[in-house]
Amino acid sequence: MTIAAAPSAKILLVDPKPERRDELAASLAGKGFEIGAAGTGSDGLERFREGPYDLVITGIQDDELDGLVLLREVRAIVPSTMGVVISRDSSPEEALEAMKWGAFDYVTEPYNFEELLIIVHRALQHQRLLTENVSLKDQLRQKYRFESIVGDSRPMHEVFRLIEKVADSDSTVLVCGESGTGKELVARALHYNSKRKQRYLIPVNCGAIPETLLESELFGHVRGAFTGATTNRIGRFEAANGGTLFLDEIGDMSPVLQIKLLRVLQEHEFEPVGSTKSRKVDVRIIAATNRNLDEMVETGEFREDLYYRLSVIPLVIPPLRDRRDDIPLLINHFIDVFCRQKKRPPFVVSPDVSEVFLRYDWPGNVRELENLVERLVILTEGDRITLEDLPEKYLNGRVAVIGDSLEIPDDGIDFNAMVNDYENKLIAAAMIKARGNKNAAARLLGLKRTTLVEKIKKKGLSFE
């Protein structure tokens, strides 16, 4: 029986006996496969790290890295890797054990080469089907505005345009924006619309992991590297090999780790904690921060060379107060999501509540709006959200108007900021009442149209 091999398929063959290994390697190469060979599981793992393979053929042997352990390790690096196990033991228990460790199929010696070849092709066909299934899911995801990023305002159209333009490149992207603006959603959109979408997107929150643990988390460690390191462990870089690593809150990374990250970006290699042996890695980096890295570079808190490496493509997510047109869209989206989750009928938002939402500045951005809508869906009785359902801070703001006087907090206020904020709210209220007509809004405010247009432009307000 003759089967044509897929020319791009790469097979790693691990066998401690050189003659047997060379014979099988030659037979597989004769069928059009690209072959890599190793004598031990440890050597095989190193070969795999140098360039991932589609399929691994290994035995169940007693060395420092058994064939079944090898399968587990390579599938931890690239989960789509297929495995075929060859063994002298024909017991069903061993076959079951091989499957548990990630083998696609199992043959016993002596075996027929044509039989093994059929299994190899079945494994590769199964891998292709899985890949096609993931691709179909990705096509569905792309219909939903880049992984649930909801927005139809001009600032968000610019974000979508940039995502489309740079997603399929391997360039490093620095996503900037205030907390709660959706930086991780943007990272997911970049990954799932790229050529790396079949591999893992691995997130790491650099601000949530203690500095003493972050190095091991990123680069892994070898056994004995420190107290408690009883086994080897791969890090997030190795787990993301072939895919994307999302480094959130990159501004919180310590200077020591900044140097090590710079080396990975420059050399595409790293050493696990406690090891002197470098490992190659093919990873795209997407970093994110809510801090001003320009200022941190000036003060010496962040390395200038690393900053330029990370910000090859800067992508700024606007705060919610600068994309107010999206607020009604977001409210409807979150009401739909949480009503389905809580199994409640859809809610109606009263016009005065919508006006409050449009005027509020949302310091917590989309995340704050999402949390508020979830709270309202849970606590509101009936099917209508009214002013009585809103927490007091959304009704009063920081300065409460009482008759002709103002109540100022004990800790004082920022006068210029408050005046600017109140002016913004007046303009927003007039534009809402005038349904976006600048002539009508200017008349409501007692301003010339040119004066209103200039204020809107100067403040960077958007009412498109």
Side-chain angles (χ1 to χ4, degrees), residues 134-327:
V134 172
S135 180
L136 287 172
K137 289 180 179 178
D138 285 343
Q139 291 175 29
L140 288 173
R141 276 196 289 260
Q142 290 175 26
K143 294 180 180 178
Y144 293 96
R145 296 188 178 184
F146 301 115
E147 286 288 293
S148 299
I149 303 175
V150 177
D152 199 32
S153 61
R154 180 177 291 179
M156 290 309 296
H157 277 293
E158 180 61 23
V159 171
F160 295 145
R161 185 193 67 79
L162 195 55
I163 290 173
E164 282 186 306
K165 197 168 185 178
V166 307
D168 210 26
S169 76
D170 276 338
S171 299
T172 303
V173 179
L174 179 62
V175 184
C176 300
E178 297 177 6
S179 293
T181 50
K183 296 186 288 294
E184 184 168 355
L185 288 178
V186 170
R188 292 183 180 279
L190 288 166
H191 174 75
Y192 287 115
N193 287 276
S194 77
K195 60 190 175 184
R196 295 174 177 268
K197 59 191 171 187
Q198 310 299 347
R199 303 295 173 87
Y200 278 157
L201 167 67
I202 304 293
V204 182
N205 189 322
C206 300
I209 303 173
E211 180 183 344
T212 53
L213 300 178
L214 184 56
E215 182 178 4
S216 174
E217 194 70 29
L218 290 173
F219 307 117
H221 61 254
V222 297
R223 184 173 57 187
F226 49 82
T227 303
T230 56
T231 60
N232 293 347
R233 182 189 175 188
I234 66 170
R236 301 292 182 93
F237 266 98
E238 200 163 352
N241 192 31
T244 304
L245 186 66
F246 174 50
L247 299 176
D248 198 6
E249 303 304 343
I250 191 70
D252 294 337
M253 183 175 284
S254 71
V256 173
L257 284 182
Q258 289 179 33
I259 295 173
K260 296 191 176 184
L261 176 59
L262 180 64
R263 187 204 166 190
V264 180
L265 291 173
Q266 291 173 333
E267 309 295 335
H268 304 288
E269 64 180 27
F270 65 93
E271 288 92 35
V273 178
S275 174
T276 57
K277 192 170 184 180
S278 296
R279 294 180 180 176
K280 288 284 185 182
V281 69
D282 172 26
V283 172
R284 183 190 192 179
I285 301 294
I286 299 174
T289 182
N290 62 0
R291 305 179 68 180
N292 190 323
L293 292 189
D294 286 306
E295 292 181 358
M296 293 181 68
V297 168
E298 290 181 7
T299 59
E301 297 175 80
F302 201 85
R303 292 184 63 93
E304 185 176 21
D305 46 6
L306 176 58
Y307 171 66
Y308 289 123
R309 282 279 180 178
L310 291 173
S311 60
V312 175
I313 300 174
L315 200 160
V316 180
I317 312 300
L320 188 53
R321 62 182 174 276
D322 290 345
R323 43 179 288 221
R324 295 180 188 272
D325 291 354
D326 290 331
I327 291 175

Side-chain angles (χ1 to χ4, degrees), residues 428-442 444:
M431 288 294 292
I432 292 167
K433 192 175 186 67
R435 300 183 182 275
N437 186 305
K438 292 186 175 68
N439 284 326
L444 288 170

Side-chain angles (χ1 to χ4, degrees), residues 426-463:
L426 284 173
I427 293 173
M431 288 294 292
I432 292 167
K433 192 175 186 67
R435 300 183 182 275
N437 186 305
K438 292 186 175 68
N439 284 326
R443 283 196 300 271
L444 288 170
L445 293 170
L447 299 173
K448 293 181 180 179
R449 183 184 187 281
T450 53
T451 302
L452 176 61
V453 170
E454 183 61 28
K455 282 183 177 290
I456 290 174
K457 182 178 179 182
K458 184 177 179 180
K459 293 171 175 292
L461 303 175
S462 173
F463 302 102

Side-chain angles (χ1 to χ4, degrees), residues 73-100:
E73 294 292 329
V74 300
R75 284 175 62 83
I77 299 171
V78 181
S80 61
T81 307
M82 295 291 106
V84 175
V85 171
I86 301 173
S87 178
R88 294 185 295 271
D89 189 344
S90 61
S91 68
E93 290 80 13
E94 186 161 283
L96 181 61
E97 187 68 16
M99 300 302 178
K100 285 181 179 178

